[in-house]
Amino acid sequence: MKIECKLKDFLKETGIKQKFIAEKAEISQGTLSLIIRGESLPTLPVAYKIAGVVNKPVEEIWVRVDE
């Protein structure tokens, strides 16, 4: 099973900056960048923090992709 992060699309649609999300979610910009690029998966608490910042359910940000 693969998990795909849809946060990049959301950022493009809304114009919200990664820096804003990182600050509000209390994570580093580097960590957020890795998450957005799909090189790292967040811990559950971090995923919920990010989801809260962008006001979206976790399931809309990280989507299961069947291979």
Side-chain angles (χ1 to χ4, degrees), residues 6 10-12 20 28 36 42 50 54 65 67:
K6 299 290 186 180
F10 177 77
L11 294 174
K12 284 182 185 179
F20 174 81
S28 73
I36 290 172
I50 293 170
V54 299
V65 179
E67 298 181 272

Side-chain angles (χ1 to χ4, degrees), residues 1 3-4 6-8 13 17 19 22 24-25 36 39 41 43 46-49 54 57:
M1 171 178 47
I3 303 292
E4 186 176 306
K6 299 290 186 180
L7 206 49
K8 188 174 186 177
E13 291 171 7
K17 302 292 181 193
K19 181 179 179 179
K24 294 293 183 183
I36 290 172
E39 296 177 21
L41 285 174
T43 63
V46 169
Y48 273 98
K49 283 183 179 181
V54 299

Side-chain angles (χ1 to χ4, degrees), residues 5 12-13 18 27 29 31 36 41 47 60 67:
C5 180
K12 284 182 185 179
E13 291 171 7
Q18 286 186 28
I27 59 173
Q29 289 181 3
T31 298
I36 290 172
L41 285 174
E60 285 186 22
E67 298 181 272

